[in-house]
Amino acid sequence: MRRLLTVLAAVVPLAAAVCLPASASAQTGPGPREGAPFRCSPVSVRGPAGTAVESVTARSLPGGTVHVDITPTGPVDVPDVPAYCEVVLTLTHPGAGDHEKVTVWLPRTGWTGRLQTVGGSAYAAGDYGQNLADAIKHGYAAATTDAGVGGYTDTGWALDAQGDVDRTLLEDFASRAEHDTAVVSKEVVAGVYGTPAGYSYFNGCSTGGRQGYMEAQRHPDDYDGILADAPAINWDEFEVATLWPQVVMNNEHTFPSQCEFNAFTAAAVKACDMLDGNPDGLIGDPGDCHYDPRRLVGTTIDCEGTPVTVTAADAAVVRKIWDGPRTTSGRQLWAGLPVGASFDLAATRTADDGTSIGNPFPVPAQWVADFVLKQPAYDLTTLTYDRFAQLFRQSEAEYDRIIGTDDPDLTAFRASGGKLLSWQGQADQYIPAQGTVDYREKVDRLMGGTGNVDDFYRLFLAPGVTHCAATPTSGPAPTDALGALTEWVEHGKAPRTLSAAATLPDGRPVTRELCRYPEVSRWNGHGDPASAGSYRCVAPSRH
């Protein structure tokens, strides 16, 4: 359970890492109309076409320290929250039997004229209060939705009474609820403040990142700016692919401990650190690192006081996991675990007989069992390599149009004047950054090349950074990506770099300016490797 909570914390640092500092955010927005009344009451809302509003409630809340019961890591208290109005709406699509809840928080004072919708994590479509509270602390009106489904690992809604996938709820989770939220939250803002929001933003990571990309692809007029980090695009493919480490261990009948996996990671980082010319203890591009794990065979490592000798079987498992899913004929299906990322997806547990067995991460396990196989109790340890490849293709065929979120045609979003900003860690252990890079390159090919696409869509990669920077990371993660986005949207200042920082285990601070893709960072050869000023962005040598 502790591992699950740590993993699902992907949404938690979103509030701290990407929201504007109050000194910047609260001073630069368009602001409400002078003298506009603040009315905390059930406002009149029509909703988008095809929806019906079932209920609207409003209540005034005092702010202060806000207690949030549900977060990926357990209950939290958010201090210094201003007094606010909470408006809760329930929407349905007549005849569908669904019930989406949309929650909007509106600060009574200090509103900058901006709206920020916050996304979800794993199977949760939205936020339960932590990121809403952070957003209103920084002058935003804030909105989120539950899409009418469950929480972070709740897929009890996946199948209907007949055992078929509930397509209505899946569509709500995949795309429809976010568009509904964009429409009704703007109506709520206008009703409560007496004036519409000057700018609207979407902000999410992981599932939230996927939601942001879906908005750009299907509803290009919903937001002026979209911050979509570590996006779970290619959902129908990567969710199956991330089960691969478990399939490998089960089929090879070898279950290395996390200590052993950590030794392989450390050896790879040591071998590949200087491939990018940066003496920073990070792998600049995992695709450039071709460390052979067989070099560690025969090495004895210390695992909590117990000496363990690395075997050829251990190295074979690591090679397959890094290489990524393949068919039995050798055809690559998806990117593997990035070299340098942690092996969380290869977690194990101790069986009743004392042996080690696989312990799959719930999100891909539930996708395969519930949505692809439609058998929640299916024993995934029985999957052969051949059966795994079949399920990969089945998931693509059944769900790409619903939740793939990989349409590279962003013509309408560009025409709307929208801006899309993304960053992703290159040590992302759950969503390989290569999928995001491949998507960006498809957009480039379709829409006139990198220079043209950079006018409205920019991607930044962060070496050594984990998924959403939610777990301890050795690489600098962005400190104010939302601030960079608002500057781009409201003042036309497109970000050339993203300021990033990290604190090393020994307490030393590290700073870096992340380069916009496809540029990469290069050390100047003499400056402090921990200082951003010692690096510059250059064209990559292998692109």
Side-chain angles (χ1 to χ4, degrees):
M1 185 57 149
R2 180 178 299 171
R3 181 179 71 91
L4 172 60
L5 292 177
T6 300
V7 170
L8 292 179
V11 73
V12 172
L14 188 62
V18 300
C19 282
L20 281 171
S23 58
S25 170
Q27 300 301 320
T28 59
R33 188 178 70 236
E34 184 70 25
F38 183 91
R39 297 186 296 266
C40 186
S41 59
V43 297
S44 176
V45 175
R46 291 189 303 171
T51 66
V53 178
E54 296 182 303
S55 66
V56 182
T57 63
R59 57 176 182 159
S60 292
L61 295 166
T65 296
V66 172
H67 180 77
V68 182
D69 284 320
I70 304 174
T71 78
T73 55
V76 299
D77 290 322
V78 183
D80 304 321
V81 177
Y84 63 99
C85 177
E86 178 187 70
V87 177
V88 179
L89 309 92
T90 304
L91 307 177
T92 188
H93 301 88
D98 57 345
H99 307 281
E100 304 170 350
K101 185 173 79 171
V102 176
T103 301
V104 187
W105 287 10
L106 307 102
R108 182 170 290 277
T109 59
W111 182 49
T112 62
R114 298 187 181 108
L115 167 67
Q116 179 186 156
T117 296
V118 294
S121 176
Y123 290 104
D127 179 60
Y128 292 93
Q130 185 175 15
N131 291 321
L132 292 172
D134 186 82
I136 67 171
K137 283 176 65 172
H138 293 94
Y140 292 85
T144 198
T145 180
D146 69 356
V149 297
Y152 299 113
T153 58
D154 176 7
T155 53
W157 54 270
L159 303 177
D160 61 21
Q162 289 72 46
D164 299 319
V165 171
D166 192 321
R167 295 283 172 149
T168 294
L169 292 181
L170 181 58
E171 183 180 348
D172 288 346
F173 174 71
S175 62
R176 188 161 55 182
E178 282 305 332
H179 173 58
D180 295 343
T181 300
V183 173
V184 300
S185 61
K186 291 176 185 178
E187 294 184 73
V188 170
V189 166
V192 171
Y193 288 120
T195 187
Y199 294 100
S200 57
Y201 295 92
F202 182 89
N203 185 359
C205 192
S206 194
T207 285
R210 186 198 63 75
Q211 292 166 325
Y213 272 72
M214 186 67 89
E215 280 291 289
Q217 292 167 20
R218 296 194 183 177
H219 304 287
D221 297 319
D222 279 355
Y223 294 101
D224 300 298
I226 295 173
L227 180 61
D229 305 325
I233 56 175
N234 312 294
W235 179 285
D236 53 300
E237 295 159 319
F238 94 83
E239 282 297 3
V240 181
T242 47
L243 199 61
W244 177 249
Q246 296 288 324
V247 173
V248 169
M249 293 191 300
N250 286 323
N251 280 270
E252 301 301 320
H253 306 292
T254 300
F255 301 89
S257 68
Q258 286 301 307
C259 174
E260 292 170 276
F261 280 130
N262 291 343
F264 283 106
T265 297
V269 171
K270 182 177 180 180
C272 297
D273 177 17
M274 286 300 294
L275 290 179
D276 60 359
N278 300 339
D280 52 8
L282 306 173
I283 296 177
D285 184 347
D288 284 340
C289 182
H290 302 293
Y291 174 77
D292 188 340
R294 290 176 295 188
R295 291 168 57 182
L296 212 59
V297 173
T299 301
T300 299
I301 58 177
D302 181 5
C303 290
E304 297 182 355
T306 301
V308 176
T309 300
V310 176
T311 68
D314 295 331
V317 165
V318 171
R319 286 189 75 192
K320 283 182 174 288
I321 292 174
W322 278 343
D323 181 56
R326 291 183 181 272
T327 65
T328 51
S329 63
R331 185 158 52 89
Q332 189 90 43
L333 293 172
W334 201 248
L337 180 74
V339 181
S342 67
F343 283 82
D344 291 4
L345 291 172
T348 59
R349 62 185 178 87
T350 303
D352 292 340
D353 62 2
T355 61
S356 291
I357 59 175
N359 186 25
F361 181 51
V363 180
Q366 289 169 302
W367 178 256
V368 171
D370 295 353
F371 292 90
V372 184
L373 288 162
K374 304 168 186 66
Q375 301 177 54
Y378 191 90
D379 183 2
L380 297 175
T381 66
T382 65
L383 291 180
T384 63
Y385 288 129
D386 186 58
R387 181 63 172 141
F388 171 86
Q390 293 173 7
L391 294 175
F392 185 91
R393 293 303 185 198
Q394 180 185 339
S395 182
E396 284 184 307
E398 288 189 33
Y399 298 111
D400 181 65
R401 290 180 179 273
I402 299 175
I403 200 170
T405 324
D406 54 3
D407 181 358
D409 187 357
L410 298 177
T411 303
F413 183 72
R414 177 174 60 186
S416 76
K419 307 300 182 188
L420 172 59
L421 179 62
S422 286
W423 70 264
Q424 185 162 5
Q426 290 185 284
D428 192 320
Q429 68 275 45
Y430 298 111
I431 302 177
Q434 189 58 46
T436 307
V437 168
D438 289 347
Y439 174 82
R440 167 61 202 240
E441 291 181 345
K442 289 177 183 176
V443 176
D444 285 354
R445 290 192 294 270
L446 181 67
M447 300 187 65
T450 299
N452 288 329
V453 174
D454 272 352
D455 286 343
F456 70 95
Y457 169 25
R458 296 196 174 193
L459 171 65
F460 296 82
L461 300 178
V465 175
T466 58
H467 184 60
C468 296
T471 54
T473 177
S474 53
T479 56
D480 191 13
L482 187 57
L485 178 62
T486 58
E487 282 293 300
W488 192 9
V489 168
E490 298 174 22
H491 303 291
K493 298 178 181 178
R496 297 179 59 86
T497 61
L498 282 187
S499 296
T503 301
L504 298 180
D506 62 7
R508 288 183 298 141
V510 177
T511 60
R512 187 72 58 86
E513 291 294 322
L514 301 182
C515 304
R516 75 174 188 245
Y517 182 83
E519 292 184 334
V520 294
S521 179
R522 287 291 179 266
W523 184 48
N524 62 17
H526 55 80
D528 180 0
S531 172
S534 302
Y535 298 85
R536 59 191 177 92
C537 294
V538 301
S541 58
R542 70 186 192 96
H543 282 277

PDB file of all heavy atoms in Angstrom, residues 70-82:
ATOM      1  N   ILE A  70      -9.012  13.142   0.799  1.00  0.00           N
ATOM      2  CA  ILE A  70      -8.596  12.227  -0.268  1.00  0.00           C
ATOM      3  C   ILE A  70      -7.501  12.853  -1.111  1.00  0.00           C
ATOM      4  O   ILE A  70      -7.732  13.823  -1.846  1.00  0.00           O
ATOM      5  CB  ILE A  70      -9.793  11.840  -1.163  1.00  0.00           C
ATOM      6  CG1 ILE A  70     -10.926  11.248  -0.338  1.00  0.00           C
ATOM      7  CG2 ILE A  70      -9.359  10.836  -2.225  1.00  0.00           C
ATOM      8  CD1 ILE A  70     -12.187  10.981  -1.125  1.00  0.00           C
ATOM      9  N   THR A  71      -6.303  12.325  -0.990  1.00  0.00           N
ATOM     10  CA  THR A  71      -5.185  12.621  -1.885  1.00  0.00           C
ATOM     11  C   THR A  71      -4.457  11.302  -2.104  1.00  0.00           C
ATOM     12  O   THR A  71      -4.698  10.327  -1.384  1.00  0.00           O
ATOM     13  CB  THR A  71      -4.208  13.656  -1.284  1.00  0.00           C
ATOM     14  OG1 THR A  71      -3.364  13.007  -0.321  1.00  0.00           O
ATOM     15  CG2 THR A  71      -4.934  14.829  -0.643  1.00  0.00           C
ATOM     16  N   PRO A  72      -3.549  11.240  -3.075  1.00  0.00           N
ATOM     17  CA  PRO A  72      -2.827   9.989  -3.298  1.00  0.00           C
ATOM     18  C   PRO A  72      -2.007   9.526  -2.095  1.00  0.00           C
ATOM     19  O   PRO A  72      -1.697   8.344  -1.983  1.00  0.00           O
ATOM     20  CB  PRO A  72      -1.918  10.312  -4.489  1.00  0.00           C
ATOM     21  CG  PRO A  72      -2.630  11.397  -5.203  1.00  0.00           C
ATOM     22  CD  PRO A  72      -3.252  12.228  -4.123  1.00  0.00           C
ATOM     23  N   THR A  73      -1.664  10.449  -1.195  1.00  0.00           N
ATOM     24  CA  THR A  73      -0.832  10.066  -0.053  1.00  0.00           C
ATOM     25  C   THR A  73      -1.572  10.108   1.270  1.00  0.00           C
ATOM     26  O   THR A  73      -0.957   9.966   2.326  1.00  0.00           O
ATOM     27  CB  THR A  73       0.397  10.993   0.034  1.00  0.00           C
ATOM     28  OG1 THR A  73      -0.046  12.355   0.076  1.00  0.00           O
ATOM     29  CG2 THR A  73       1.308  10.795  -1.158  1.00  0.00           C
ATOM     30  N   GLY A  74      -2.892  10.312   1.243  1.00  0.00           N
ATOM     31  CA  GLY A  74      -3.654  10.380   2.474  1.00  0.00           C
ATOM     32  C   GLY A  74      -4.067  11.802   2.805  1.00  0.00           C
ATOM     33  O   GLY A  74      -3.776  12.746   2.062  1.00  0.00           O
ATOM     34  N   PRO A  75      -4.772  12.008   3.920  1.00  0.00           N
ATOM     35  CA  PRO A  75      -5.289  13.332   4.274  1.00  0.00           C
ATOM     36  C   PRO A  75      -4.183  14.380   4.402  1.00  0.00           C
ATOM     37  O   PRO A  75      -3.072  14.085   4.860  1.00  0.00           O
ATOM     38  CB  PRO A  75      -5.969  13.091   5.624  1.00  0.00           C
ATOM     39  CG  PRO A  75      -6.289  11.633   5.633  1.00  0.00           C
ATOM     40  CD  PRO A  75      -5.166  10.969   4.891  1.00  0.00           C
ATOM     41  N   VAL A  76      -4.492  15.604   3.973  1.00  0.00           N
ATOM     42  CA  VAL A  76      -3.554  16.722   4.099  1.00  0.00           C
ATOM     43  C   VAL A  76      -4.318  17.959   4.546  1.00  0.00           C
ATOM     44  O   VAL A  76      -5.536  18.056   4.380  1.00  0.00           O
ATOM     45  CB  VAL A  76      -2.818  17.030   2.772  1.00  0.00           C
ATOM     46  CG1 VAL A  76      -2.007  15.845   2.300  1.00  0.00           C
ATOM     47  CG2 VAL A  76      -3.802  17.476   1.703  1.00  0.00           C
ATOM     48  N   ASP A  77      -3.576  18.907   5.100  1.00  0.00           N
ATOM     49  CA  ASP A  77      -4.121  20.219   5.445  1.00  0.00           C
ATOM     50  C   ASP A  77      -3.435  21.265   4.578  1.00  0.00           C
ATOM     51  O   ASP A  77      -2.195  21.306   4.500  1.00  0.00           O
ATOM     52  CB  ASP A  77      -3.884  20.544   6.919  1.00  0.00           C
ATOM     53  CG  ASP A  77      -4.740  19.687   7.844  1.00  0.00           C
ATOM     54  OD1 ASP A  77      -5.906  19.427   7.486  1.00  0.00           O
ATOM     55  OD2 ASP A  77      -4.241  19.268   8.905  1.00  0.00           O
ATOM     56  N   VAL A  78      -4.234  22.096   3.926  1.00  0.00           N
ATOM     57  CA  VAL A  78      -3.702  23.171   3.096  1.00  0.00           C
ATOM     58  C   VAL A  78      -3.925  24.486   3.831  1.00  0.00           C
ATOM     59  O   VAL A  78      -5.071  24.899   4.048  1.00  0.00           O
ATOM     60  CB  VAL A  78      -4.399  23.214   1.720  1.00  0.00           C
ATOM     61  CG1 VAL A  78      -3.777  24.306   0.851  1.00  0.00           C
ATOM     62  CG2 VAL A  78      -4.308  21.858   1.025  1.00  0.00           C
ATOM     63  N   PRO A  79      -2.861  25.164   4.253  1.00  0.00           N
ATOM     64  CA  PRO A  79      -3.017  26.402   5.034  1.00  0.00           C
ATOM     65  C   PRO A  79      -3.237  27.627   4.159  1.00  0.00           C
ATOM     66  O   PRO A  79      -2.993  27.605   2.943  1.00  0.00           O
ATOM     67  CB  PRO A  79      -1.682  26.495   5.774  1.00  0.00           C
ATOM     68  CG  PRO A  79      -0.700  25.883   4.810  1.00  0.00           C
ATOM     69  CD  PRO A  79      -1.449  24.777   4.117  1.00  0.00           C
ATOM     70  N   ASP A  80      -3.674  28.698   4.802  1.00  0.00           N
ATOM     71  CA  ASP A  80      -3.731  30.037   4.199  1.00  0.00           C
ATOM     72  C   ASP A  80      -4.621  30.113   2.963  1.00  0.00           C
ATOM     73  O   ASP A  80      -4.336  30.840   2.008  1.00  0.00           O
ATOM     74  CB  ASP A  80      -2.315  30.515   3.839  1.00  0.00           C
ATOM     75  CG  ASP A  80      -1.380  30.511   5.034  1.00  0.00           C
ATOM     76  OD1 ASP A  80      -1.835  30.880   6.135  1.00  0.00           O
ATOM     77  OD2 ASP A  80      -0.215  30.122   4.862  1.00  0.00           O
ATOM     78  N   VAL A  81      -5.712  29.362   2.972  1.00  0.00           N
ATOM     79  CA  VAL A  81      -6.651  29.397   1.852  1.00  0.00           C
ATOM     80  C   VAL A  81      -7.627  30.552   2.085  1.00  0.00           C
ATOM     81  O   VAL A  81      -8.173  30.702   3.181  1.00  0.00           O
ATOM     82  CB  VAL A  81      -7.413  28.067   1.734  1.00  0.00           C
ATOM     83  CG1 VAL A  81      -8.446  28.122   0.613  1.00  0.00           C
ATOM     84  CG2 VAL A  81      -6.429  26.917   1.516  1.00  0.00           C
ATOM     85  N   PRO A  82      -7.867  31.394   1.072  1.00  0.00           N
ATOM     86  CA  PRO A  82      -8.798  32.507   1.270  1.00  0.00           C
ATOM     87  C   PRO A  82     -10.238  32.012   1.379  1.00  0.00           C
ATOM     88  O   PRO A  82     -10.564  30.903   0.950  1.00  0.00           O
ATOM     89  CB  PRO A  82      -8.607  33.342  -0.001  1.00  0.00           C
ATOM     90  CG  PRO A  82      -8.185  32.352  -1.033  1.00  0.00           C
ATOM     91  CD  PRO A  82      -7.312  31.361  -0.303  1.00  0.00           C
TER      92      PRO A  82
END
